Amino acid sequence: MKGSLFAFIGGALITLQGAANSRISQDIGTWQAAMITQLTGFITALLILLLIRDGNWREFKQVKPLYLSGGAYAAVIIFSNVTAIHQIGVTFTIAAVLIAQLCLTFLIDGNGWFGVAKQKMRLPQFIGLGMMMAGVVILKF
């Protein structure tokens, strides 16, 4: 239940962030909005880290460089979302983002990439993904 709550909060905040970034980008530019978002995210995470003081910094050197590139992905994610929101709106952008996330997670789970346990995808999962895609198509028209 706790995981579902965090997922719901995260999803809601992603939507709010996309809408806010879209508005910010109209005033100062898309890459500037991405930079402001990354900077405020870094400051917030740093403050939380300093308050909570969890984790083990000694193990930092064992993290693969590929995994450390997540922040760089975020800049492109923000730019892509802001650009999409300007062109197709918030609702369709978020729907398309969710489908893209699900498609990639199917590949990650099915192949066991990034050290996750391999999951067998069955017909119900594919039907669910197909229904979401159909929902986006219906939503668009």
Side-chain angles (χ1 to χ4, degrees):
M1 182 66 175
K2 191 175 180 181
S4 296
L5 178 63
F6 280 119
F8 183 81
I9 292 168
L13 291 176
I14 286 172
T15 301
L16 291 174
Q17 180 189 44
N21 287 342
S22 177
R23 181 61 193 103
I24 293 168
S25 74
Q26 290 175 347
D27 293 336
I28 63 173
T30 305
W31 285 111
Q32 292 85 340
M35 188 270 309
I36 293 289
T37 299
Q38 293 282 71
L39 179 63
T40 57
F42 170 77
I43 292 169
T44 302
L46 180 62
L47 290 173
I48 292 170
L49 176 66
L50 293 173
L51 290 172
I52 295 176
R53 295 177 177 247
D54 68 344
N56 186 354
W57 286 96
R58 284 180 237 128
E59 302 297 325
F60 183 75
K61 292 180 183 177
Q62 294 182 12
V63 177
K64 293 180 182 180
L66 172 66
Y67 302 148
L68 295 174
S69 64
Y73 296 152
V76 177
I77 291 165
I78 293 166
F79 177 83
S80 299
N81 284 342
V82 168
T83 302
I85 288 169
H86 284 299
Q87 294 181 5
I88 61 176
V90 176
T91 302
F92 192 63
T93 296
I94 296 303
V97 165
L98 289 174
I99 288 172
Q101 287 177 334
L102 279 173
C103 288
L104 188 55
T105 57
F106 266 48
L107 289 172
I108 292 169
D109 277 347
N111 294 303
W113 295 345
F114 301 103
V116 302
K118 256 186 173 180
Q119 302 287 327
K120 182 155 175 79
M121 296 300 150
R122 296 184 180 88
L123 185 60
Q125 286 82 30
F126 288 104
I127 291 171
L129 184 58
M131 289 175 67
M132 285 188 70
M133 289 179 180
V136 171
V137 170
I138 292 168
L139 184 68
K140 182 66 178 161
F141 296 105

